[in-house]
Amino acid sequence: MGPMVDRIFEGREKTTESIVSFLDKVCQVELEKYIESCYQELATYVNAYDQKMFMKRENIAERGIWTAKKRYILNVWDSEGVRYEEPKLKMMGIEAVKSSTPAPCRQMIKDGLKLMMRGTEDEVIDFIDQCRTKFKSLPPEEIAFPRTASDVRKYHSHADIYMKGTPIHIRGALLFNHYVKEKKLTNKYSLIGNGEKIKFLYLKKPNIIQENIISFIQDFPRELNLDKYIDYDLQFEKSFVEPLKSILDSIGWSVEKTVNLESFFF
């Protein structure tokens, strides 16, 4: 409908309200009536006892992003006749925010999607940089990935702490149990058992336990001296950047500013 709106409103004041009202009227007066006449023609053609096919306009949106068939985001101003003062995001088949996403990132992702639908690429890049700075100031407990620990006993190994092929969060749980017992911290921290709600963090290597993961139940075990090895960059990439990047890639936008040779001469 974009080209039609541009042509009709050429030289006239163009507001969101006037455009939405115009498109709503076009749908009612022209499109819905035409579709209805086609259904009636079809009913006559197949000798139906009655015309039972009806179709109404659903959303009027100013911007939309499709990542695949039936996977999209719309910036909706009117949904089935309900007009909004502020646009609402409608997402279909897009799982940007999951239960496994750290809580602070959930709101950041929602705000990022809103900005993506209303702003520019540079504004989105600046927003991602601001979120990265904020993310790195948060305590370990807030940036960790939530999971449920199942089959902890199944993957336990007396010789090597964990067996080959152990899921990453279970590996972190078994490492937690091992070092908590080794440091004699069982009075402060409960060991992780089957069905426990846990969190896990990626670690930078090399580190004192020579592993890239650690899990915990509620409080990060600072007595293990792993604080300085927490990989904030990887945590941010996986919990915030990756969900947005899959959508940004579909419209050719970047998650960070790119530098090329031309920038050195201007």
Side-chain angles (χ1 to χ4, degrees):
M1 295 293 192
M4 184 177 71
V5 168
D6 291 338
R7 183 173 180 179
I8 295 298
F9 283 86
E10 187 176 2
R12 297 165 54 187
E13 183 181 359
K14 187 162 58 173
T15 64
T16 299
E17 178 64 28
S18 62
I19 293 172
V20 174
S21 296
F22 166 71
L23 291 175
D24 183 39
K25 189 172 182 179
V26 169
C27 289
Q28 289 181 34
V29 176
E30 299 294 338
L31 300 185
E32 288 179 10
K33 286 187 176 180
Y34 177 74
I35 293 171
E36 186 179 343
S37 68
C38 291
Y39 277 140
Q40 186 58 58
E41 184 179 334
L42 176 63
T44 302
Y45 177 75
V46 300
N47 198 27
Y49 69 91
D50 201 0
Q51 205 296 92
K52 295 291 186 181
M53 302 288 286
F54 300 99
M55 190 177 288
K56 295 288 185 181
R57 187 268 300 166
E58 189 174 353
N59 298 301
I60 297 177
E62 64 179 343
R63 186 178 289 189
I65 298 173
W66 274 258
T67 61
K69 184 178 180 180
K70 295 185 179 180
R71 294 173 61 87
Y72 59 83
I73 307 173
L74 296 177
N75 204 39
V76 179
W77 283 95
D78 188 302
S79 178
E80 298 182 17
V82 178
R83 193 73 51 90
Y84 303 128
E85 291 185 7
E86 293 290 329
K88 291 191 177 182
L89 284 185
K90 177 180 179 179
M91 293 195 289
M92 179 67 69
I94 302 287
E95 290 187 283
V97 181
K98 302 179 181 179
S99 59
S100 58
T101 303
C105 290
R106 295 176 196 175
Q107 189 57 50
M108 289 181 186
I109 291 172
K110 290 177 182 176
D111 292 340
L113 291 173
K114 289 179 182 177
L115 185 59
M116 198 185 303
M117 299 302 291
R118 304 174 195 175
T120 64
E121 181 180 11
D122 285 341
E123 288 174 332
V124 171
I125 291 173
D126 289 340
F127 175 76
I128 292 172
D129 288 340
Q130 292 167 18
C131 289
R132 182 180 285 107
T133 301
K134 180 181 178 181
F135 186 86
K136 289 184 176 182
S137 70
L138 296 173
E141 291 85 355
E142 291 191 33
I143 67 165
F145 294 103
R147 290 291 191 278
T148 299
S150 56
D151 296 326
V152 177
R153 299 187 192 94
K154 172 184 173 182
Y155 290 104
H156 177 254
S157 169
H158 292 288
D160 301 310
I161 305 177
Y162 56 84
M163 297 180 181
K164 186 177 180 180
T166 302
I168 191 165
H169 63 293
I170 302 301
R171 179 155 57 89
L174 290 167
L175 288 166
F176 171 87
N177 288 349
H178 174 80
Y179 287 105
V180 162
K181 285 190 285 188
E182 185 181 84
K183 297 280 187 180
K184 296 180 171 58
L185 297 169
T186 51
N187 287 334
K188 182 173 181 180
Y189 300 105
S190 299
L191 298 179
I192 297 173
N194 286 348
E196 200 83 60
K197 297 293 183 183
I198 64 170
K199 298 179 179 181
F200 78 87
L201 290 165
Y202 286 99
L203 302 175
K204 296 177 183 177
K205 291 180 71 177
N207 57 57
I208 55 176
I209 65 171
Q210 294 305 313
E211 295 282 353
N212 70 334
I213 200 77
I214 191 69
S215 299
F216 55 95
I217 297 176
Q218 189 64 40
D219 299 317
F220 183 76
R222 286 166 174 77
E223 292 85 349
L224 300 184
N225 298 316
L226 295 172
D227 309 49
K228 61 183 177 182
Y229 299 110
I230 296 172
D231 197 336
Y232 273 82
D233 290 326
L234 185 57
Q235 288 287 134
F236 185 73
E237 184 75 21
K238 287 186 171 293
S239 59
F240 179 79
V241 176
E242 284 185 4
L244 285 185
K245 191 175 186 301
S246 62
I247 301 169
L248 289 169
D249 285 347
S250 66
I251 56 175
W253 285 11
S254 300
V255 296
E256 57 187 4
K257 288 184 172 67
T258 55
V259 178
N260 54 45
L261 287 174
E262 289 183 4
S263 63
F264 289 102
F265 301 100
F266 295 96

